[in-house]
């Protein structure tokens, strides 16, 4: 009895959560105006894929999709490289003021991102990087959260492995590349997913630094679409579907490692 | 192969915290030297300083005549086997063994040849494709040794390599490492806390306590002629029995324990050396194997049997002398019951005398 109640609640919550997602997909293939009828429909009467065609032909979404891809993959790669180096160093290297420096970095987590946006924008503007990919790459290169995550994971790597590599003749760089990075794979995948999804879905920062319409990312382009085609719900939903597909694909493909990473981080950290 | 020389080597972690104090030792080419001592005695720190994994606070280390104080581990031409094996979990056994050679840019054929040779002598050829997690403890240990062998280093360092193995495997690996040493003819520095390992494997043993070398000698000399009470108690299993008392004059010189449970006449040689200790406190050490149930010895101790440990090939009798627990190792046929009054004889020529204050052996 108790079990079936739990299952019922779980299914109910699942359906409620899934409903908007389902409606988004469903509305994206409804004919124009069908999504706004009353009573609202959950499934389309007739399938109409013209909105997808419109997005890629008239509205030139390919360009924005490409921007989002370059930015998300770029930020993810840079952040994995730098965060893993810093996290490994904080976990395994001995250097002066290590603990103090790490505490200082952690304490900066309490500063809201919005507070840093203006000074960051001004710095990038002075460097002439506004409306370039670097305006998003550079601020996203390292994150305290990423460093923390890698550091906690790297603690679980025995020192003797690093020492064995030293005895085997490896340089510090070779130890990092050939021993530490492969061992950190689960946590790197987790951090990579977080970063990729975060960057892909980020709206505010690309909106601030990408003022040129050619440099828009998907969420910014989609927001623009909303203001221009406010009545066209089906077109909006088609745009939303296109936006979440890459994230969904990456997430599902790496799900195995992602869960492993989260678990290992929590247990061994 | 090479000699290793340590001259007044010290490791100081923080002020006043000396992990190793003025360690000096010359390890000859092809020699198997074992560093032994209880936890925290500085044996592993010494090994790590030889390896280059710890900085040397004071003193000098030479490998093959070259001072290596500031030489990084990779350039010292040494290999080390770690306690927890330290195999790279993401690499196969073959890759683990070949890693060092690849980094040193050996040709593929040379790597192949060396790995195959090492795998053959360690009998792990059939494991080469497996990952470390698919291996048992003993197999992992072999791979770790194999990884060291393929490099053909000047010196092998072993840091408690057998302590993670079960008792049976430990005995097996012990003899394998000893055999390997004979076969490879290499200089080996081996760290262990297990005195049985030290006794059975080492050409010479370095006994350490609290960062200080207590004695460096061959296994038999350590057993028969320990320099002090610590070495006497550490070497030998079960450990030597110690009883405090004093030397008194009574028909010649006699040892009488504090509560009088143990008394025996000193032999002429002991009397001569110990004459200056008359009426002074002194400690005697009697090895468990020096006791006998037979009445062939003049000296004996009357006591009550507290309990016994039957080992099959021998029996350990536990009894009290002056309120201190003592052990006698005897033939398994000895038939006593717990609580029996027993009279165990001992060979007083095998009794060692220690200065009570410094713990040094007098004779």
């Amino acid at each position: 009895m108790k079990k079936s109640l739990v299952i019922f609640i779980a299914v109910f919550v699942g359906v409620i959560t899934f409903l908007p997602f389902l409606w988004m997909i469903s509305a994206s293939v409804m004919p124009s105006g069908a999504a706004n009828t009353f009573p609202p429909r959950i499934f389309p009467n007739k399938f109409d894929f013209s909105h997808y065609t419109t997005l890629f032909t008239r509205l030139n979404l390919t360009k924005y999709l490409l921007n989002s891809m370059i930015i998300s993959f770029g930020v993810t790669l840079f952040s994995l490289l730098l965060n893993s180096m810093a996290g490994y160093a904080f976990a395994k290297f001995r250097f002066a003021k290590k603990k103090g420096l790490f505490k200082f970095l952690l304490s900066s987590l309490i500063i809201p991102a919005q507070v840093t946006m203006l000074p960051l924008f001004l710095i990038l503007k002075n460097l002439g990087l506004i409306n370039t990919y670097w305006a998003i790459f550079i601020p996203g290169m390292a994150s305290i959260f990423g460093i923390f995550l890698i550091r906690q994971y790297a603690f679980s790597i025995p020192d003797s492995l690093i020492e064995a590599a030293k005895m085997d003749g490896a340089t510090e760089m070779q130890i990092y590349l050939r021993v530490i990075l492969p061992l950190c794979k689960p946590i790197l995948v987790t951090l990579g997913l977080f970063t990729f999804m975060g960057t892909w879905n980020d709206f505010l920062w690309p909106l601030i630094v990408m003022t040129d319409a050619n440099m828009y990312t998907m969420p910014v382009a989609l927001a623009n679409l909303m203001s221009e085609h406010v009545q066209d719900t089906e077109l909006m939903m088609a745009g939303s579907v296109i936006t979440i597909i890459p994230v969904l694909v990456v997430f599902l493909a790496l799900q195995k490692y992602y869960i492993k990473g989260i678990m290992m981080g929590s247990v061994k950290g | 192969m090479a000699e290793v020389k340590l001259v007044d080597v010290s490791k100081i972690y923080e002020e006043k915290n000396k992990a190793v104090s003025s360690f000096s030792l010359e390890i000859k080419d092809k020699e198997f030297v074992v560093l032994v001592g209880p936890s925290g005695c500085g044996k592993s720190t010494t090994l790590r300083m030889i390896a280059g994994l710890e900085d040397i606070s004071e003193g000098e280390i030479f490998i093959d005549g070259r001072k290596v104080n500031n030489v990084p581990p990779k350039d010292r031409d040494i290999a080390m086997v770690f306690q927890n094996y330290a195999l790279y979990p993401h690499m196969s056994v073959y890759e683990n063994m070949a890693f060092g050679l690849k980094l040193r840019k050996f040709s593929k054929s040379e790597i192949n040849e060396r790995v195959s040779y090492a795998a053959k002598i360690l009998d792990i050829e059939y494991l080469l494709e497996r990952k470390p997690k698919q291996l048992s403890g003993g197999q992992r240990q072999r791979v770790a040794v194999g990884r060291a062998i393929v490099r053909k280093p000047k010196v092998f360092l072993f840091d408690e390599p057998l302590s993670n193995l079960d008792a049976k495997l430990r005995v097996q690996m012990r003899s394998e490492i000893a055999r390997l040493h004979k076969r490879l003819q290499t200089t080996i520095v081996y760290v262990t806390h297990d005195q049985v390992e030290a006794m059975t494997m080492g050409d010479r043993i370095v006994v350490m306590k609290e960062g200080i070398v207590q004695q460096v000698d061959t296994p038999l000399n350590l057993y028969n002629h320990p320099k002090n009470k610590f070495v006497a108690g550490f070497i030998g299993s079960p450990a030597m029995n110690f009883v405090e008392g004093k030397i008194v004059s009574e028909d010649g010189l006699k040892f009488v324990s504090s509560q009088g449970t143990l008394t025996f006449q000193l032999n002429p040689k002991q009397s001569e050396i110990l004459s200056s200790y008359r009426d002074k406190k002194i400690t005697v050490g009697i090895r468990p194997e020096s006791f006998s149930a037979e009445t062939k010895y003049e000296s004996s101790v009357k006591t009550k049997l507290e309990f016994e440990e039957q080992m099959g090939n021998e029996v350990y009798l536990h009894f009290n002398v002056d309120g201190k627990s003592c052990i006698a190792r005897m033939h398994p046929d000895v038939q006593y019951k717990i609580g029996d009054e027993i009279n165990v004889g001992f060979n007083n020529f095998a009794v060692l005398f220690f200065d009570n204050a410094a713990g040094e052996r007098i004779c």
Side-chain angles (χ1 to χ4, degrees):
Chain A
M1 181 62 199
K2 199 179 165 192
K3 198 181 167 190
S4 44
L5 186 74
V6 170
I7 292 173
F8 174 76
I9 294 173
V11 170
F12 182 73
V13 173
V15 169
I16 295 287
T17 316
F18 187 63
L19 217 54
F21 188 74
L22 181 73
W23 191 78
M24 174 183 75
I25 297 170
S26 166
S28 74
V29 290
M30 285 180 190
S32 289
N36 292 334
T37 50
F38 190 84
R41 287 205 192 97
I42 290 188
F43 297 105
N45 280 357
K46 208 176 95 189
F47 286 93
D48 182 358
F49 292 95
S50 62
H51 312 297
Y52 287 95
T53 332
T54 313
L55 284 175
F56 285 101
T57 50
R58 195 160 55 81
L59 297 173
N60 206 5
L61 213 64
T62 321
K63 193 169 61 193
Y64 308 133
L65 202 62
L66 199 68
N67 282 343
S68 271
M69 287 275 186
I70 292 170
I71 286 169
S72 300
F73 278 111
V75 169
T76 306
L77 283 180
F78 279 127
S79 103
L80 285 184
L81 186 74
L82 293 184
N83 289 331
S84 62
M85 279 185 173
Y88 166 51
F90 272 116
K92 295 292 180 189
F93 279 65
R94 272 188 282 184
F95 55 91
K97 311 280 180 223
K98 183 170 94 168
K99 278 187 182 169
L101 186 62
F102 192 70
K103 277 183 191 163
F104 173 72
L105 286 180
L106 274 188
S107 65
S108 69
L109 274 178
I110 58 166
I111 302 169
Q114 288 77 0
V115 173
T116 62
M117 280 181 177
L118 184 64
L120 204 54
F121 175 81
L122 292 174
I123 293 170
L124 291 169
K125 187 171 169 263
N126 286 333
L127 290 172
L129 296 175
I130 298 299
N131 279 323
T132 68
Y133 293 134
W134 292 103
I136 297 180
F137 286 161
I138 293 173
M141 273 181 179
S143 73
I144 313 297
F145 173 70
I147 294 171
F148 179 75
L149 209 62
I150 303 278
R151 172 181 175 265
Q152 294 309 99
Y153 191 83
F155 274 136
S156 67
I157 297 172
D159 289 343
S160 57
L161 271 188
I162 296 163
E163 288 170 351
K166 275 185 192 164
M167 302 295 292
D168 269 340
T171 58
E172 290 296 354
M173 199 47 145
Q174 283 169 326
I175 294 173
Y176 165 73
L177 290 174
R178 300 178 76 162
V179 179
I180 301 300
L181 277 191
L183 292 178
C184 284
K185 201 163 91 181
I187 204 69
L188 288 176
V189 171
T190 307
L191 180 64
L193 260 179
F194 280 153
T195 314
F196 185 85
M197 290 197 290
T199 316
W200 184 273
N201 293 328
D202 192 16
F203 171 72
L204 194 55
W205 186 244
L207 182 74
I208 294 171
V209 292
M210 300 300 198
T211 49
D212 178 356
N214 281 326
M215 296 302 286
Y216 282 175
T217 58
M218 281 295 281
V220 178
L222 210 62
N224 252 15
L225 209 66
M226 269 194 201
S227 50
E228 284 172 26
H229 303 262
V230 73
Q231 298 303 324
D232 203 344
T233 312
E234 297 77 17
L235 189 67
M236 294 288 98
M237 292 304 121
S240 303
V241 171
I242 298 290
T243 311
I244 67 156
I245 281 176
V247 183
L248 209 63
V249 168
V250 172
F251 183 83
L252 291 177
L254 300 175
Q255 183 176 218
K256 190 177 78 183
Y257 298 103
Y258 170 75
I259 290 166
K260 199 172 158 194
I262 291 236
M263 299 298 280
M264 288 178 106
S266 62
V267 176
K268 291 190 178 172
Chain B
M1 299 306 124
E3 293 172 359
V4 179
K5 194 171 155 192
L6 294 96
V7 185
D8 281 329
V9 172
S10 295
K11 178 72 190 175
I12 305 159
Y13 279 112
E14 280 157 31
E15 262 181 75
K16 291 178 191 168
N17 184 4
K18 262 195 169 181
V20 179
S21 292
S22 302
F23 188 113
S24 291
L25 180 70
E26 274 188 52
I27 301 167
K28 295 193 266 309
D29 184 23
K30 295 170 193 164
E31 195 178 13
F32 195 134
V33 167
V34 181
L35 309 185
V36 70
S39 298
C41 71
K43 54 190 190 300
S44 281
T45 309
T46 307
L47 192 82
R48 291 168 60 80
M49 284 195 282
I50 300 174
L53 298 171
E54 294 279 353
D55 295 333
I56 302 159
S57 308
E58 286 166 12
E60 292 170 323
I61 295 181
F62 297 88
I63 295 175
D64 209 11
R66 180 171 70 128
K67 189 176 163 185
V68 294
N69 281 37
N70 298 313
V71 177
K74 69 186 176 73
D75 299 326
R76 292 190 183 196
D77 203 2
I78 45 181
M80 185 158 166
V81 177
F82 292 84
Q83 182 178 357
N84 61 358
Y85 324 123
L87 299 177
Y88 311 117
H90 57 294
M91 296 184 197
S92 68
V93 168
Y94 181 92
E95 288 165 337
N96 261 286
M97 288 166 75
F99 187 61
L101 301 176
K102 271 187 197 163
L103 292 173
R104 287 180 161 80
K105 306 246 180 322
F106 278 73
S107 70
K108 259 194 174 169
S109 58
E110 175 81 10
I111 293 174
N112 241 328
E113 196 182 303
R114 287 195 183 197
V115 173
S116 305
Y117 173 74
K120 195 176 171 193
I121 58 174
L122 290 164
D123 200 17
I124 50 170
E125 285 162 301
Y126 65 106
L127 302 173
L128 287 175
E129 297 307 315
R130 292 198 199 167
K131 289 270 170 71
K133 67 176 175 196
Q134 296 167 300
L135 307 178
S136 68
Q139 290 169 334
R140 285 179 202 186
Q141 194 56 66
R142 277 167 211 263
V143 177
V145 173
R147 184 171 63 180
I149 291 176
V150 291
R151 297 234 325 268
K152 296 185 182 167
K154 283 180 183 163
V155 183
F156 281 103
L157 307 177
F158 286 82
D159 189 7
E160 306 210 25
L162 308 183
S163 48
N164 283 0
L165 302 180
D166 64 51
K168 198 179 165 194
L169 211 53
R170 207 178 306 158
V171 174
Q172 190 191 332
M173 282 303 288
R174 205 164 70 196
S175 56
E176 279 191 31
I177 291 175
R179 248 200 310 272
L180 205 64
H181 174 239
K182 295 234 158 39
R183 183 170 183 166
L184 299 174
Q185 293 285 303
T186 47
T187 310
I188 292 182
V189 187
Y190 188 105
V191 162
T192 179
H193 63 268
D194 182 350
Q195 56 93 20
V196 180
E197 258 174 51
M199 291 293 280
T200 50
M201 298 170 90
D203 294 327
R204 275 194 303 159
I205 299 173
V206 180
V207 184
M208 294 179 75
K209 182 196 172 193
E210 290 165 8
I212 299 165
V213 174
Q214 303 293 309
Q215 190 172 355
V216 184
D217 221 323
T218 60
L220 213 55
N221 273 347
L222 279 182
Y223 181 82
N224 289 326
H225 310 290
K227 223 173 138 188
N228 56 36
K229 206 175 144 187
F230 175 80
V231 177
F234 195 80
I235 300 294
S237 176
M240 182 180 265
N241 303 296
F242 293 106
V243 180
E244 279 185 27
K246 61 182 178 182
I247 304 292
V248 293
S249 297
E250 202 181 302
D251 301 333
L253 289 184
K254 218 175 180 184
F255 173 82
V256 180
S257 67
S258 308
Q259 293 171 26
T261 324
L262 177 73
T263 59
F264 65 91
Q265 203 75 40
L266 304 190
N267 65 41
K269 194 182 161 201
Q270 290 165 342
S271 299
E272 192 189 324
I273 299 168
L274 293 165
S275 57
S276 58
Y277 280 84
R278 200 168 304 179
D279 293 327
K280 279 185 188 164
K281 281 200 170 176
I282 203 165
T283 300
V284 294
I286 309 171
R287 291 215 180 268
E289 43 275 27
S290 300
F291 288 106
S292 170
E294 295 163 27
T295 49
K296 61 182 176 182
Y297 299 123
E298 281 177 26
S299 312
S300 66
V301 55
K302 268 192 184 152
T303 180
K304 207 184 256 183
L305 181 67
E306 288 189 328
F307 69 98
E308 61 170 37
E309 289 175 286
Q310 183 58 257
M311 311 298 282
N313 60 340
E314 57 197 14
V315 62
Y316 299 153
L317 306 180
H318 291 249
F319 51 88
N320 235 310
V321 174
D322 278 8
K324 281 187 81 178
S325 184
C326 289
I327 302 177
R329 182 190 211 161
M330 298 208 177
H331 194 271
D333 294 342
V334 170
Q335 297 287 330
Y336 289 126
K337 280 195 213 93
I338 292 168
D340 274 0
E341 286 285 337
I342 56 169
N343 190 16
V344 280
F346 60 90
N347 177 7
N348 72 350
F349 279 87
V351 174
L352 303 179
F353 293 82
F354 299 93
D355 183 283
N356 239 21
E360 296 295 305
R361 185 167 68 93
I362 306 160
C363 66

